[in-house]
Amino acid sequence: MNVFDFTLICAFIQLGYQNPLSSSTLKPNVLVVEVNGALGQQALKCLHSAEEVMRGDDKDILWKKNGAEEAQRGNSYLVQLEESLGGGNYSCYSKDGSLLNHTLVLIQEGNTDKRKILVKSDLGNYLKCSTKNFEGAFHCSWTWDRFRVGKVELIIAKRERSCSVDTSGHRSACNFSCSEDGTGHGISCVDEHYCAYAEENSRINVTVYVRTDDFLVERYEKLFFLSEIVKPDKVKIRRVNPTTMEWTYPSSWSSPYSYFPLTFEVLERRRGCKTCDKPCHESASAKNITVHSLSTCQFEVKRKSGIFCVRAKDALCHSQWSEWSHLSIE
């Protein structure tokens, strides 16, 4: 073989196996490798310090992928990447079978326009976040793709400033406490240093890393002020007398009400209408009335039969209406 042939072979190998787009540590012992679909390799190390390597013969280090023994030996291991394949649990062992180290390799596809794990809502969002009040707690939910079995790998919540991951590696340590719902379709977070009476100077940034059983990981993010996602609970309606309806602020709403006022929308619908939010074809168009009150509200109904509907929203912010509450008028 001449020098020219040897150069061509080396060039072919270099073109055939490319480095991944990037790799980063998501949390202790979890490595995210970003790929673009081409063949590639990602190097792993079993022992990282010279002192550890000097204590034993690194040629005797054994590697396993997802519990199955691999042919590669030594302190370094090359993960073979092809399209979105190559992820897995990689562990290394000493000659006597003792576990030396382990790394979970997750694959992140470089084309973020083609998401595979979560489903985009009609509003174009993957994460839907809301809060019942201004106490600092909020909830975010999502919908899994029906062909993917996924789980949360990491939650990070912060107010647009740098954060460090806590020792458990599951959430960020930025005065936010987050946990997964038992349903697997959402997370609940609390800003532990939130002050309801102070103006929000920076938005909350929620980032959720979700992964599948075949080691594909995707990153989803949502940025918001609490005032943008506040949605009051449903109000409670009661009948005072045949012509008067009464309702109160939701018990979960922030107080005092003079500082956190609500606006109410009132709707009377004719007999035959069964819901408040859908068009009622059996009757003429109903008129919505806006009511402002800082305490218990009363309203004189004009219809003798039908349904009486009320919903609430923050009077000072452009935010969501609560779900409708309704009571039959007989």
Side-chain angles (χ1 to χ4, degrees):
M1 179 185 295
N2 58 38
V3 175
F4 178 75
D5 292 334
F6 179 76
T7 303
L8 284 178
I9 292 173
C10 291
F12 174 78
I13 294 173
Q14 289 176 347
L15 290 172
Y17 287 91
Q18 302 175 14
N19 290 327
L21 297 179
S22 67
S23 62
S24 60
T25 300
L26 185 61
K27 59 184 182 181
N29 299 100
V30 178
L31 182 70
V32 173
V33 179
E34 186 178 355
V35 300
N36 60 2
L39 293 176
Q41 295 178 326
Q42 173 64 43
L44 301 179
K45 280 190 178 296
C46 180
L47 306 175
H48 293 275
S49 69
E51 183 181 352
E52 288 177 318
V53 176
M54 291 297 293
R55 285 202 296 261
D57 189 352
D58 67 345
K59 294 180 181 178
D60 292 329
I61 291 178
L62 169 72
W63 287 86
K64 291 184 180 181
K65 177 184 178 182
N66 299 328
E69 186 174 330
E70 295 285 289
Q72 293 187 51
R73 295 290 187 271
N75 192 47
S76 296
Y77 181 96
L78 288 178
V79 177
Q80 304 303 316
L81 305 171
E82 182 178 356
E83 295 183 350
S84 60
L85 303 178
N89 283 294
Y90 293 85
S91 51
C92 54
Y93 301 82
S94 64
K95 188 176 182 179
D96 63 6
S98 301
L99 177 65
L100 298 174
N101 204 349
H102 64 94
T103 302
L104 172 62
V105 176
L106 299 176
I107 304 300
Q108 182 176 17
E109 295 182 342
N111 186 357
T112 57
D113 294 333
K114 295 182 179 180
R115 301 298 184 94
K116 297 180 178 179
I117 304 179
L118 301 186
V119 177
K120 185 183 290 187
S121 70
D122 294 337
L123 299 177
N125 301 315
Y126 290 98
L127 300 179
K128 179 183 178 182
C129 299
S130 64
T131 180
K132 298 179 180 180
N133 49 46
F134 290 99
E135 304 303 319
F138 59 90
H139 180 265
C140 296
S141 60
W142 56 78
T143 301
W144 296 104
D145 185 278
R146 62 193 183 98
F147 296 110
R148 297 278 176 174
V149 178
K151 62 181 180 180
V152 175
E153 187 64 33
L154 181 67
I155 306 165
I156 300 175
K158 60 182 181 180
R159 277 197 182 270
E160 297 184 294
R161 62 177 182 266
S162 60
C163 291
S164 60
V165 175
D166 68 5
T167 53
S168 69
H170 194 68
R171 61 181 176 82
S172 66
C174 301
N175 302 326
F176 279 84
S177 175
C178 296
S179 60
E180 295 178 56
D181 291 353
T183 62
H185 291 267
I187 58 172
S188 296
C189 297
V190 178
D191 184 349
E192 297 172 347
H193 287 189
Y194 181 72
C195 177
Y197 304 100
E199 184 179 355
E200 287 185 281
N201 293 319
S202 59
R203 284 185 169 89
I204 296 172
N205 190 336
V206 174
T207 304
V208 182
Y209 289 85
V210 295
R211 53 159 290 198
T212 64
D213 288 344
D214 53 2
F215 307 103
L216 180 67
V217 67
E218 289 179 348
R219 176 178 181 269
Y220 297 89
E221 188 176 35
K222 192 169 182 65
L223 197 66
F224 55 85
F225 288 112
L226 285 181
S227 58
E228 294 174 331
I229 65 166
V230 66
K231 180 180 179 179
D233 276 336
K234 295 172 67 173
V235 303
K236 291 184 179 180
I237 311 172
R238 75 180 187 93
R239 187 173 221 156
V240 178
N241 57 52
T243 60
T244 304
M245 297 293 184
E246 181 181 272
W247 67 90
T248 58
Y249 274 58
S251 59
S252 60
W253 187 248
S254 301
S255 60
Y257 300 150
S258 58
Y259 196 85
F260 302 100
L262 288 175
T263 292
F264 301 94
E265 187 175 24
V266 179
L267 176 64
E268 287 186 71
R269 310 206 82 170
R270 292 181 179 178
R271 190 172 190 174
C273 298
K274 297 181 180 180
T275 63
C276 303
D277 55 349
K278 294 181 180 179
C280 185
H281 300 294
E282 294 99 356
S283 65
S285 301
K287 184 178 181 180
N288 294 40
I289 301 172
T290 302
V291 177
H292 304 280
S293 176
L294 301 179
S295 59
T296 301
C297 309
Q298 289 191 347
F299 190 84
E300 198 79 18
V301 294
K302 298 178 175 60
R303 301 184 186 277
K304 295 182 179 180
S305 63
I307 58 173
F308 178 75
C309 307
V310 181
R311 63 179 181 174
K313 72 181 290 293
D314 188 325
L316 305 178
C317 302
H318 182 65
S319 55
Q320 302 178 72
W321 285 100
S322 70
E323 300 299 322
W324 286 102
S325 299
H326 67 274
L327 194 65
S328 296
I329 306 171
E330 297 296 341

